[in-house]
Amino acid sequence: MPTVLRKYGFRFHFYSGDRFEPPHIHVEGNGGEAKVWLTEVMLAEAGGFSQRDLARILEVVQEHRQQMLEAWHDYFA
């Protein structure tokens, strides 16, 4: 499970089995887990995060979206 970024106590990563899904990033930290779509930055699912954490996660994904998409395509190419 390649880690793409660590920021604000969150780890942004994907799983090798994610190949057949649209590009997305998994997020863990602060007792929560989430999945965020990268084509159009949008929360796919989440649990255990506060609304503040979710807002920050979406902000980070938007800021680093290109880096995450490149990592996705490099890994699954």
Side-chain angles (χ1 to χ4, degrees):
M1 88 179 71
T3 298
V4 178
L5 178 71
R6 289 181 189 273
K7 192 166 186 174
Y8 303 126
F10 303 119
R11 183 169 67 96
F12 297 81
H13 62 92
F14 48 85
Y15 297 101
S16 57
D18 289 345
R19 168 184 303 275
F20 300 107
E21 292 188 56
H24 62 276
I25 198 85
H26 293 271
V27 186
E28 295 179 353
N30 293 348
E33 295 182 42
K35 177 178 174 180
V36 180
W37 300 118
L38 294 174
T39 305
E40 181 177 335
V41 175
M42 191 169 62
L43 195 61
E45 56 190 58
F49 285 122
S50 68
Q51 288 301 312
R52 182 179 176 167
D53 281 343
L54 290 173
R56 179 165 267 182
I57 287 166
L58 290 173
E59 188 177 286
V60 170
V61 172
Q62 188 66 51
E63 178 183 349
H64 296 276
R65 179 177 169 269
Q66 192 58 43
Q67 172 191 353
M68 293 174 180
L69 279 169
E70 287 174 10
W72 174 278
H73 292 298
D74 287 349
Y75 188 79
F76 292 116

